Every structure is written in structure tokens, then in C-alpha cells.
Amino acid sequence: MTSTPTAPVVDFWFDPACPWAWMTSRWITEVQRQREIDVRWHVMSLSVLNEGRDLPADYRALMDDSWAAVRVLVAAQELYGADPKPLYDALGTRRHPGGRTDTRAIIAESLAEAGLPDSLLAFTDSEEYDPQLRASTAEALALVGDEVGTPVVALDGVGFFGPVITPAPKGEQALELFDGLAMITRVPGFYELKRTRTQGPQFD
């Protein structure tokens, strides 16, 4: 009798404000459409990561604004046991391919789309669940260190920052990239592979 192999476990940490995390999440979603993988979605706050750092004014403004969505995501998990993926999809679609920046309206519409109560809007400015948000962020950083951003992707417990990709691969190319990541995770001493980005995110 042969044993049935278990599906690979993919842990994916994201901040909905990050366009690069959005691109990578579209790739993982495409892989999941074609292959049995167990994807577990986690909130990671770039605002937490960048606390106390000297940032350009425009990026600091983005960090100040990005608290709202991650706080609502965590509150939805804590209060309703909500899977973060549907709300993340709704938020990200409006912000990234949609090009919108009206954060409170984006959150309100996204809550409705995900079937969550609008009372969660009260948590945009609330620190009540910040300990849980910080703990989730710390879990990602424990895998990859704090000299990273989002996304953080772990395959069967081995994590990396990235992959940073544009556009999001589809079809067989998406599977090939996933298999490449799986191969890298099996090399204990592999840490980094990088080149300068020459283009921004290309949304569908």
C-alpha cells in the first residue's frame, strides 16, 4: 500500500498596501487553481516593520495610511474567524489594478464584498488587535529576518522574501516557478538571488 503524499503547505504573509505582494499573491492563486497546495494567508504589517525608521515623506504617508486595512483584516479574523483571503482579494483589486487610494471607502466596499459586517470599519483606527498583528508580522520575520518587506512566502516551513515578479505568471509558467521555489527550499544554505527591478507591477 502506497502512502498518499500530503499537499505542500504554503504560508503567505502580505500587506494589502504592497503592490508586489499583490502580484505574488496572484501567482500563488494561479498555482492553487492548477495544483493541490495548502495555502495559509497571514497579515504582515509594513507599518510595524518600518516603525522608527527614517523614511521618505511619501513612503511614510503610505505607512501611516496602511494601518487601517491590516487592522480591519486582523479584527475580522479575531471576531469572526474570517479567512483573510476574500477580504484581501477585495481590498487588493480596488487598490492595485483599480488604482484607488480612498482607503476607508475601499475597506467599506471590500467588507461588503467579503460578506463581513461594516461594524469592522471601527477598527481602522483601533489598536485593540495590534498585539495579534505584531505577532503575525514577527512570525514572518522569524523566518526571513527584518531586512525585507512583503511578500514573505514559506514552503513547508522554509521562508523567503518574495518572489518579486511582474506580471504574475500563469499556466505552466506559474507551476514552473513554484517548482523552482520548492527546489530552492531544499538547499539549506540558499539565502538570496536578486537583480535590480527595471519595471513596476503589471496588473491584469
Side-chain angles (χ1 to χ4, degrees), residues 45-61:
S45 172
L46 292 173
S47 300
V48 169
L49 181 63
N50 285 290
E51 280 181 323
R53 295 183 178 178
D54 185 19
L55 302 173
D58 57 344
Y59 194 67
R60 171 56 63 195

Side-chain angles (χ1 to χ4, degrees), residues 19-20 22-24 26-27 163-170 173 177 195 197-204:
W20 295 106
W22 177 254
M23 299 302 299
T24 308
R26 299 310 90 187
W27 161 64
V164 176
I165 46 178
T166 189
K170 293 182 173 61
Q173 190 179 52
L177 179 57
R195 62 176 174 168
R197 293 194 298 265
T198 58
Q199 57 185 327
Q202 299 177 38
F203 304 118
D204 292 335

Side-chain angles (χ1 to χ4, degrees), residues 72-83:
V72 169
L73 276 156
V74 172
Q77 289 179 278
E78 293 296 318
L79 293 172
Y80 300 101
D83 177 357

Side-chain angles (χ1 to χ4, degrees), residues 12 14 42 49 57 125 128 144 188:
F12 192 109
F14 65 90
H42 310 274
L49 181 63
D125 300 313
E128 182 173 351
V144 297

Side-chain angles (χ1 to χ4, degrees), residues 22-39:
W22 177 254
M23 299 302 299
T24 308
S25 75
R26 299 310 90 187
W27 161 64
I28 282 291
T29 300
E30 172 70 3
V31 173
Q32 190 174 31
R33 186 183 66 81
Q34 301 183 72
R35 183 180 291 178
E36 186 180 357
I37 57 174
D38 180 8
V39 185

Side-chain angles (χ1 to χ4, degrees), residues 153-164:
V153 179
L155 179 56
D156 289 332
V158 180
F160 291 98
F161 164 58
V164 176

